[in-house]
Amino acid sequence: MAVTFRQLEAFIAVAETHNFTRAAERLRMAQPMVSSLIRELEAELGFRLFDRTTRRVQLTAAAVEFLNDARRLTSDMDGALRRARDVGARRRGHIKVGAPPLLAAALLPKAIREFAQSSPGVAVSVVDRSLAAVHELLTSGDIDLAVGTFRRNEDGIARIPLVPYLIALLCRADHRLAAIARPRWRDLAGVPLIALRRGNGIREQIEQGYAAAGLNAEPAFELDQLTTILAMVEAGFGITVLPLYALSALPTKSLVARELIDPMVTREIDVAHREDRSLSPAALDFVRLLRLNATELQSPR
């Protein structure tokens, strides 16, 4: 059956006005078009909808029963179209974003605040877990966007580059290395290191930088939580090496960040989504705000 929304609208208008001319005026179309739509609908349904007299148009007995169904169908369609237009206009919807905790703390709050101002009807949920867990949630479809460092050319995953970031030294402001504007990795020789345990992407970058300088990364302390690491550094037990934006996410008054050079160890932060799922207008706007705010990750606040 090929009943159309316009046919139902014409039927309801004629039923409520009892007149084809007034129905046409309500619908802002020519009266012959209304008549044509009614004939098409009658052909599809297999019965007459109206008995016509010289004075008015009356519903047939079969049409009386159909009228409530037609009103319900058009109301449901109207509601669906309004909701779809609201999604298209970013007036409603829901975006689920995943990111590792440090990156989530450094990047997402400001982007979400700005997004709430431009799209107040769209809710944003944040999942702050390990990069591996975030990647799994993305591939399973449980989140819409993932922010982090992802493998290149991975099947089924589309990446939008946000910004490269540097690995930096974090130490107390009164530490001797704080006096060097751009310390080299070999300057870390003999200095107690407080680091994340192995199995973390940041730890891999630390070992890469130490190895390039001919050093072994042998931490004095290996910990799981970044807040504990920074507390140990603040207490004077050593230094740590983290992304440059770490102080943005975990502000402290006593620590400073210094870019490490020779070599400069960088990684690219991406926002990723599944290739088989188109991003909604709201999600595209959120990605735009992420890109605008990501440049702030290149320098500590």
Side-chain angles (χ1 to χ4, degrees):
M1 184 175 290
V3 173
T4 68
F5 185 67
R6 294 188 72 190
Q7 291 169 353
L8 294 177
E9 280 189 317
F11 166 57
I12 294 169
V14 175
E16 292 178 348
T17 63
H18 304 284
N19 186 282
F20 276 78
T21 300
R22 287 195 294 271
E25 291 171 353
R26 177 196 286 191
L27 297 173
R28 297 181 180 180
M29 63 176 62
Q31 191 248 305
M33 176 61 73
V34 174
S35 298
S36 176
L37 290 170
I38 295 300
R39 286 195 299 271
E40 291 170 0
L41 182 56
E42 288 175 334
E44 287 291 341
L45 297 175
F47 59 83
R48 287 182 62 82
L49 294 169
F50 299 103
D51 289 325
R52 299 163 178 84
T53 67
T54 55
R55 290 191 166 191
R56 58 190 288 122
V57 176
Q58 296 282 4
L59 286 166
T60 64
V64 169
E65 185 174 344
F66 179 61
L67 181 58
N68 286 334
D69 289 333
R71 285 171 170 155
R72 176 180 53 79
L73 288 169
T74 56
S75 176
D76 289 347
M77 180 63 76
D78 279 337
L81 290 173
R82 281 196 301 271
R83 290 188 292 273
R85 291 188 185 105
D86 284 345
V87 170
R90 306 195 307 276
R91 289 190 294 266
R92 66 184 297 146
H94 188 193
I95 303 171
K96 298 179 182 178
V97 185
L102 182 64
L103 184 55
L107 178 60
L108 295 185
K110 186 176 179 182
I112 293 172
R113 183 176 67 244
E114 293 177 0
F115 182 74
Q117 294 170 353
S118 61
S119 305
V122 182
V124 179
S125 298
V126 176
V127 178
D128 56 341
R129 299 185 189 172
S130 69
L131 186 60
V134 167
H135 183 273
E136 183 176 340
L137 289 171
L138 180 66
T139 55
S140 66
D142 291 318
I143 58 176
D144 304 302
L145 299 171
V147 184
T149 301
F150 301 97
R151 294 193 301 273
R152 299 303 187 255
N153 303 319
E154 182 176 357
D155 290 342
I157 300 297
R159 297 181 305 100
I160 302 170
L162 291 181
V163 68
Y165 69 88
L166 285 168
I167 293 295
L169 160 73
L170 272 67
C171 63
R172 284 171 48 131
D174 59 0
H175 195 282
R176 66 173 179 82
L177 292 177
I180 307 174
R182 303 183 76 196
R184 296 165 296 182
W185 283 89
R186 64 174 176 265
D187 293 329
L188 306 185
V191 180
L193 172 66
I194 304 169
L196 288 165
R197 297 186 193 279
R198 282 194 171 92
N200 182 284
I202 295 174
R203 176 61 183 268
E204 292 174 4
Q205 290 176 285
I206 292 173
E207 293 182 347
Q208 175 187 341
Y210 270 78
L215 304 174
N216 290 323
E218 298 177 349
F221 296 93
E222 293 181 289
L223 301 167
D224 293 310
Q225 301 299 323
L226 290 170
T227 50
T228 310
I229 290 174
L230 294 189
M232 294 290 283
V233 176
E234 285 185 310
F237 287 99
I239 57 95
T240 191
V241 178
L242 291 172
L244 188 58
Y245 58 79
L247 289 188
S248 302
L250 303 167
T252 144
K253 295 181 179 179
S254 62
L255 300 186
V256 296
R258 299 287 183 264
E259 295 180 8
L260 283 165
I261 61 172
D262 293 337
M264 295 181 71
V265 179
T266 65
R267 294 187 82 178
E268 187 84 32
I269 298 174
D270 306 315
V271 56
H273 65 91
R274 281 178 41 164
E275 282 185 328
D276 61 351
R277 292 192 176 182
S278 299
L279 293 181
S280 67
L284 288 170
D285 192 48
F286 189 73
V287 170
R288 178 185 65 82
L289 292 173
L290 286 176
R291 299 185 79 173
L292 287 175
N293 286 282
T295 56
E296 298 183 10
L297 301 182
Q298 295 177 310
S299 60
R301 297 170 191 166

mmCIF file of all heavy atoms in Angstrom, residues 109-145:
data_model
loop_
_atom_site.group_PDB
_atom_site.id
_atom_site.type_symbol
_atom_site.label_atom_id
_atom_site.label_comp_id
_atom_site.label_asym_id
_atom_site.label_seq_id
_atom_site.Cartn_x
_atom_site.Cartn_y
_atom_site.Cartn_z
ATOM 1 N N PRO A 109 36.437 19.143 29.285
ATOM 2 C CA PRO A 109 35.556 20.083 30.003
ATOM 3 C C PRO A 109 35.271 21.377 29.256
ATOM 4 O O PRO A 109 34.111 21.800 29.159
ATOM 5 C CB PRO A 109 36.316 20.334 31.311
ATOM 6 C CG PRO A 109 37.105 19.084 31.524
ATOM 7 C CD PRO A 109 37.531 18.666 30.145
ATOM 8 N N LYS A 110 36.282 22.007 28.707
ATOM 9 C CA LYS A 110 36.063 23.278 28.011
ATOM 10 C C LYS A 110 35.254 23.071 26.738
ATOM 11 O O LYS A 110 34.349 23.860 26.416
ATOM 12 C CB LYS A 110 37.387 23.946 27.683
ATOM 13 C CG LYS A 110 37.218 25.344 27.094
ATOM 14 C CD LYS A 110 38.553 26.032 26.855
ATOM 15 C CE LYS A 110 38.342 27.409 26.243
ATOM 16 N NZ LYS A 110 39.634 28.087 25.954
ATOM 17 N N ALA A 111 35.563 22.006 25.994
ATOM 18 C CA ALA A 111 34.821 21.738 24.761
ATOM 19 C C ALA A 111 33.352 21.462 25.069
ATOM 20 O O ALA A 111 32.459 21.930 24.352
ATOM 21 C CB ALA A 111 35.444 20.553 24.021
ATOM 22 N N ILE A 112 33.086 20.721 26.136
ATOM 23 C CA ILE A 112 31.704 20.418 26.505
ATOM 24 C C ILE A 112 30.978 21.680 26.953
ATOM 25 O O ILE A 112 29.805 21.898 26.614
ATOM 26 C CB ILE A 112 31.662 19.339 27.602
ATOM 27 C CG1 ILE A 112 32.161 18.003 27.041
ATOM 28 C CG2 ILE A 112 30.245 19.179 28.161
ATOM 29 C CD1 ILE A 112 32.338 16.927 28.084
ATOM 30 N N ARG A 113 31.662 22.540 27.689
ATOM 31 C CA ARG A 113 31.032 23.798 28.135
ATOM 32 C C ARG A 113 30.650 24.667 26.943
ATOM 33 O O ARG A 113 29.537 25.201 26.877
ATOM 34 C CB ARG A 113 31.978 24.559 29.066
ATOM 35 C CG ARG A 113 31.342 25.829 29.624
ATOM 36 C CD ARG A 113 32.246 26.524 30.616
ATOM 37 N NE ARG A 113 33.434 27.065 29.987
ATOM 38 C CZ ARG A 113 34.667 26.655 30.250
ATOM 39 N NH1 ARG A 113 34.864 25.676 31.116
ATOM 40 N NH2 ARG A 113 35.701 27.209 29.642
ATOM 41 N N GLU A 114 31.545 24.793 25.984
ATOM 42 C CA GLU A 114 31.246 25.597 24.795
ATOM 43 C C GLU A 114 30.140 24.954 23.956
ATOM 44 O O GLU A 114 29.279 25.659 23.409
ATOM 45 C CB GLU A 114 32.509 25.766 23.953
ATOM 46 C CG GLU A 114 33.575 26.615 24.641
ATOM 47 C CD GLU A 114 34.855 26.706 23.826
ATOM 48 O OE1 GLU A 114 34.900 26.103 22.729
ATOM 49 O OE2 GLU A 114 35.800 27.363 24.289
ATOM 50 N N PHE A 115 30.141 23.632 23.885
ATOM 51 C CA PHE A 115 29.114 22.931 23.119
ATOM 52 C C PHE A 115 27.749 23.117 23.765
ATOM 53 O O PHE A 115 26.740 23.266 23.066
ATOM 54 C CB PHE A 115 29.467 21.447 23.030
ATOM 55 C CG PHE A 115 28.499 20.635 22.226
ATOM 56 C CD1 PHE A 115 28.484 20.720 20.840
ATOM 57 C CD2 PHE A 115 27.606 19.784 22.847
ATOM 58 C CE1 PHE A 115 27.586 19.967 20.088
ATOM 59 C CE2 PHE A 115 26.703 19.034 22.106
ATOM 60 C CZ PHE A 115 26.706 19.127 20.735
ATOM 61 N N ALA A 116 27.699 23.103 25.092
ATOM 62 C CA ALA A 116 26.423 23.280 25.794
ATOM 63 C C ALA A 116 25.814 24.648 25.515
ATOM 64 O O ALA A 116 24.594 24.810 25.527
ATOM 65 C CB ALA A 116 26.619 23.088 27.294
ATOM 66 N N GLN A 117 26.671 25.633 25.252
ATOM 67 C CA GLN A 117 26.162 26.972 24.954
ATOM 68 C C GLN A 117 25.556 27.048 23.557
ATOM 69 O O GLN A 117 24.552 27.731 23.344
ATOM 70 C CB GLN A 117 27.298 27.991 25.088
ATOM 71 C CG GLN A 117 27.807 28.141 26.518
ATOM 72 C CD GLN A 117 29.078 28.968 26.610
ATOM 73 O OE1 GLN A 117 29.679 29.334 25.597
ATOM 74 N NE2 GLN A 117 29.502 29.275 27.831
ATOM 75 N N SER A 118 26.131 26.326 22.606
ATOM 76 C CA SER A 118 25.631 26.381 21.227
ATOM 77 C C SER A 118 24.557 25.335 20.949
ATOM 78 O O SER A 118 23.710 25.530 20.072
ATOM 79 C CB SER A 118 26.782 26.194 20.233
ATOM 80 O OG SER A 118 27.397 24.930 20.406
ATOM 81 N N SER A 119 24.563 24.231 21.691
ATOM 82 C CA SER A 119 23.596 23.144 21.478
ATOM 83 C C SER A 119 23.063 22.660 22.820
ATOM 84 O O SER A 119 23.351 21.530 23.252
ATOM 85 C CB SER A 119 24.251 21.988 20.716
ATOM 86 O OG SER A 119 24.815 22.423 19.501
ATOM 87 N N PRO A 120 22.285 23.500 23.511
ATOM 88 C CA PRO A 120 21.872 23.160 24.874
ATOM 89 C C PRO A 120 20.973 21.932 24.972
ATOM 90 O O PRO A 120 20.871 21.330 26.040
ATOM 91 C CB PRO A 120 21.118 24.419 25.335
ATOM 92 C CG PRO A 120 20.692 25.099 24.077
ATOM 93 C CD PRO A 120 21.770 24.803 23.077
ATOM 94 N N GLY A 121 20.333 21.534 23.872
ATOM 95 C CA GLY A 121 19.453 20.376 23.924
ATOM 96 C C GLY A 121 20.144 19.052 23.695
ATOM 97 O O GLY A 121 19.505 17.999 23.768
ATOM 98 N N VAL A 122 21.442 19.079 23.426
ATOM 99 C CA VAL A 122 22.189 17.850 23.137
ATOM 100 C C VAL A 122 23.022 17.471 24.356
ATOM 101 O O VAL A 122 23.863 18.246 24.808
ATOM 102 C CB VAL A 122 23.099 18.026 21.905
ATOM 103 C CG1 VAL A 122 23.824 16.719 21.593
ATOM 104 C CG2 VAL A 122 22.281 18.480 20.700
ATOM 105 N N ALA A 123 22.781 16.291 24.894
ATOM 106 C CA ALA A 123 23.529 15.816 26.053
ATOM 107 C C ALA A 123 24.851 15.192 25.618
ATOM 108 O O ALA A 123 24.937 14.581 24.554
ATOM 109 C CB ALA A 123 22.707 14.786 26.819
ATOM 110 N N VAL A 124 25.871 15.366 26.444
ATOM 111 C CA VAL A 124 27.186 14.765 26.189
ATOM 112 C C VAL A 124 27.558 13.885 27.376
ATOM 113 O O VAL A 124 27.556 14.346 28.522
ATOM 114 C CB VAL A 124 28.279 15.831 25.973
ATOM 115 C CG1 VAL A 124 29.635 15.164 25.744
ATOM 116 C CG2 VAL A 124 27.931 16.729 24.795
ATOM 117 N N SER A 125 27.849 12.617 27.112
ATOM 118 C CA SER A 125 28.322 11.690 28.135
ATOM 119 C C SER A 125 29.801 11.421 27.916
ATOM 120 O O SER A 125 30.252 11.325 26.773
ATOM 121 C CB SER A 125 27.552 10.365 28.079
ATOM 122 O OG SER A 125 26.184 10.556 28.338
ATOM 123 N N VAL A 126 30.543 11.301 29.009
ATOM 124 C CA VAL A 126 31.990 11.073 28.931
ATOM 125 C C VAL A 126 32.328 9.752 29.608
ATOM 126 O O VAL A 126 31.871 9.476 30.726
ATOM 127 C CB VAL A 126 32.771 12.223 29.591
ATOM 128 C CG1 VAL A 126 34.273 11.916 29.588
ATOM 129 C CG2 VAL A 126 32.496 13.536 28.882
ATOM 130 N N VAL A 127 33.127 8.954 28.927
ATOM 131 C CA VAL A 127 33.679 7.721 29.500
ATOM 132 C C VAL A 127 35.178 7.910 29.591
ATOM 133 O O VAL A 127 35.865 8.051 28.576
ATOM 134 C CB VAL A 127 33.350 6.500 28.618
ATOM 135 C CG1 VAL A 127 33.970 5.244 29.219
ATOM 136 C CG2 VAL A 127 31.847 6.336 28.463
ATOM 137 N N ASP A 128 35.730 7.978 30.812
ATOM 138 C CA ASP A 128 37.171 8.165 30.998
ATOM 139 C C ASP A 128 37.800 6.863 31.478
ATOM 140 O O ASP A 128 37.785 6.552 32.658
ATOM 141 C CB ASP A 128 37.461 9.325 31.959
ATOM 142 C CG ASP A 128 36.796 9.151 33.303
ATOM 143 O OD1 ASP A 128 35.832 8.361 33.405
ATOM 144 O OD2 ASP A 128 37.231 9.799 34.275
ATOM 145 N N ARG A 129 38.317 6.115 30.520
ATOM 146 C CA ARG A 129 38.944 4.830 30.816
ATOM 147 C C ARG A 129 40.269 4.741 30.059
ATOM 148 O O ARG A 129 40.658 5.677 29.370
ATOM 149 C CB ARG A 129 38.025 3.671 30.413
ATOM 150 C CG ARG A 129 36.692 3.669 31.160
ATOM 151 C CD ARG A 129 35.875 2.449 30.824
ATOM 152 N NE ARG A 129 34.531 2.538 31.368
ATOM 153 C CZ ARG A 129 33.556 1.680 31.104
ATOM 154 N NH1 ARG A 129 33.789 0.651 30.300
ATOM 155 N NH2 ARG A 129 32.359 1.843 31.630
ATOM 156 N N SER A 130 40.922 3.619 30.196
ATOM 157 C CA SER A 130 42.185 3.428 29.487
ATOM 158 C C SER A 130 41.942 3.500 27.978
ATOM 159 O O SER A 130 40.819 3.279 27.499
ATOM 160 C CB SER A 130 42.796 2.073 29.838
ATOM 161 O OG SER A 130 42.014 1.025 29.289
ATOM 162 N N LEU A 131 43.004 3.792 27.241
ATOM 163 C CA LEU A 131 42.869 3.901 25.788
ATOM 164 C C LEU A 131 42.379 2.580 25.195
ATOM 165 O O LEU A 131 41.559 2.580 24.269
ATOM 166 C CB LEU A 131 44.210 4.299 25.163
ATOM 167 C CG LEU A 131 44.170 4.583 23.658
ATOM 168 C CD1 LEU A 131 43.222 5.728 23.339
ATOM 169 C CD2 LEU A 131 45.570 4.896 23.145
ATOM 170 N N ALA A 132 42.846 1.466 25.718
ATOM 171 C CA ALA A 132 42.406 0.168 25.202
ATOM 172 C C ALA A 132 40.914 -0.026 25.430
ATOM 173 O O ALA A 132 40.195 -0.522 24.548
ATOM 174 C CB ALA A 132 43.196 -0.957 25.866
ATOM 175 N N ALA A 133 40.432 0.368 26.608
ATOM 176 C CA ALA A 133 39.002 0.230 26.904
ATOM 177 C C ALA A 133 38.170 1.160 26.030
ATOM 178 O O ALA A 133 37.103 0.786 25.541
ATOM 179 C CB ALA A 133 38.748 0.519 28.383
ATOM 180 N N VAL A 134 38.670 2.383 25.819
ATOM 181 C CA VAL A 134 37.965 3.332 24.964
ATOM 182 C C VAL A 134 37.890 2.812 23.531
ATOM 183 O O VAL A 134 36.850 2.905 22.866
ATOM 184 C CB VAL A 134 38.658 4.714 25.011
ATOM 185 C CG1 VAL A 134 38.152 5.622 23.898
ATOM 186 C CG2 VAL A 134 38.441 5.373 26.366
ATOM 187 N N HIS A 135 38.974 2.247 23.054
ATOM 188 C CA HIS A 135 39.006 1.690 21.704
ATOM 189 C C HIS A 135 37.987 0.557 21.564
ATOM 190 O O HIS A 135 37.274 0.460 20.557
ATOM 191 C CB HIS A 135 40.411 1.178 21.390
ATOM 192 C CG HIS A 135 40.565 0.652 20.006
ATOM 193 N ND1 HIS A 135 40.282 -0.658 19.673
ATOM 194 C CD2 HIS A 135 40.954 1.258 18.852
ATOM 195 C CE1 HIS A 135 40.507 -0.848 18.391
ATOM 196 N NE2 HIS A 135 40.902 0.290 17.859
ATOM 197 N N GLU A 136 37.893 -0.275 22.577
ATOM 198 C CA GLU A 136 36.933 -1.386 22.534
ATOM 199 C C GLU A 136 35.496 -0.862 22.512
ATOM 200 O O GLU A 136 34.644 -1.380 21.775
ATOM 201 C CB GLU A 136 37.152 -2.295 23.749
ATOM 202 C CG GLU A 136 36.257 -3.525 23.749
ATOM 203 C CD GLU A 136 36.552 -4.456 24.913
ATOM 204 O OE1 GLU A 136 37.664 -4.360 25.486
ATOM 205 O OE2 GLU A 136 35.685 -5.276 25.250
ATOM 206 N N LEU A 137 35.228 0.178 23.305
ATOM 207 C CA LEU A 137 33.881 0.764 23.321
ATOM 208 C C LEU A 137 33.537 1.378 21.968
ATOM 209 O O LEU A 137 32.383 1.327 21.528
ATOM 210 C CB LEU A 137 33.794 1.831 24.411
ATOM 211 C CG LEU A 137 33.798 1.324 25.855
ATOM 212 C CD1 LEU A 137 33.937 2.488 26.821
ATOM 213 C CD2 LEU A 137 32.525 0.539 26.149
ATOM 214 N N LEU A 138 34.527 1.959 21.306
ATOM 215 C CA LEU A 138 34.285 2.556 19.996
ATOM 216 C C LEU A 138 33.962 1.481 18.963
ATOM 217 O O LEU A 138 32.992 1.596 18.201
ATOM 218 C CB LEU A 138 35.509 3.358 19.551
ATOM 219 C CG LEU A 138 35.390 4.044 18.187
ATOM 220 C CD1 LEU A 138 34.324 5.134 18.225
ATOM 221 C CD2 LEU A 138 36.731 4.630 17.752
ATOM 222 N N THR A 139 34.755 0.431 18.913
ATOM 223 C CA THR A 139 34.537 -0.609 17.912
ATOM 224 C C THR A 139 33.227 -1.359 18.151
ATOM 225 O O THR A 139 32.599 -1.833 17.200
ATOM 226 C CB THR A 139 35.712 -1.603 17.890
ATOM 227 O OG1 THR A 139 35.921 -2.147 19.208
ATOM 228 C CG2 THR A 139 36.991 -0.908 17.442
ATOM 229 N N SER A 140 32.790 -1.456 19.405
ATOM 230 C CA SER A 140 31.529 -2.136 19.707
ATOM 231 C C SER A 140 30.325 -1.240 19.494
ATOM 232 O O SER A 140 29.183 -1.708 19.558
ATOM 233 C CB SER A 140 31.536 -2.650 21.146
ATOM 234 O OG SER A 140 31.565 -1.565 22.072
ATOM 235 N N GLY A 141 30.564 0.049 19.266
ATOM 236 C CA GLY A 141 29.467 0.978 19.030
ATOM 237 C C GLY A 141 28.852 1.558 20.278
ATOM 238 O O GLY A 141 27.802 2.204 20.213
ATOM 239 N N ASP A 142 29.495 1.365 21.439
ATOM 240 C CA ASP A 142 28.943 1.882 22.692
ATOM 241 C C ASP A 142 29.225 3.366 22.895
ATOM 242 O O ASP A 142 28.625 3.992 23.769
ATOM 243 C CB ASP A 142 29.492 1.082 23.880
ATOM 244 C CG ASP A 142 28.966 -0.339 23.895
ATOM 245 O OD1 ASP A 142 27.758 -0.515 23.624
ATOM 246 O OD2 ASP A 142 29.738 -1.266 24.167
ATOM 247 N N ILE A 143 30.174 3.928 22.155
ATOM 248 C CA ILE A 143 30.412 5.369 22.184
ATOM 249 C C ILE A 143 30.460 5.868 20.742
ATOM 250 O O ILE A 143 30.707 5.097 19.815
ATOM 251 C CB ILE A 143 31.719 5.746 22.926
ATOM 252 C CG1 ILE A 143 32.932 5.069 22.290
ATOM 253 C CG2 ILE A 143 31.625 5.406 24.403
ATOM 254 C CD1 ILE A 143 34.253 5.482 22.914
ATOM 255 N N ASP A 144 30.207 7.157 20.571
ATOM 256 C CA ASP A 144 30.185 7.753 19.236
ATOM 257 C C ASP A 144 31.558 8.249 18.800
ATOM 258 O O ASP A 144 31.928 8.137 17.634
ATOM 259 C CB ASP A 144 29.198 8.931 19.207
ATOM 260 C CG ASP A 144 27.808 8.525 19.648
ATOM 261 O OD1 ASP A 144 27.238 7.621 19.011
ATOM 262 O OD2 ASP A 144 27.303 9.098 20.631
ATOM 263 N N LEU A 145 32.299 8.818 19.759
ATOM 264 C CA LEU A 145 33.601 9.412 19.470
ATOM 265 C C LEU A 145 34.618 8.922 20.481
ATOM 266 O O LEU A 145 34.291 8.715 21.660
ATOM 267 C CB LEU A 145 33.530 10.940 19.534
ATOM 268 C CG LEU A 145 32.580 11.654 18.565
ATOM 269 C CD1 LEU A 145 32.485 13.133 18.932
ATOM 270 C CD2 LEU A 145 33.054 11.496 17.133
#
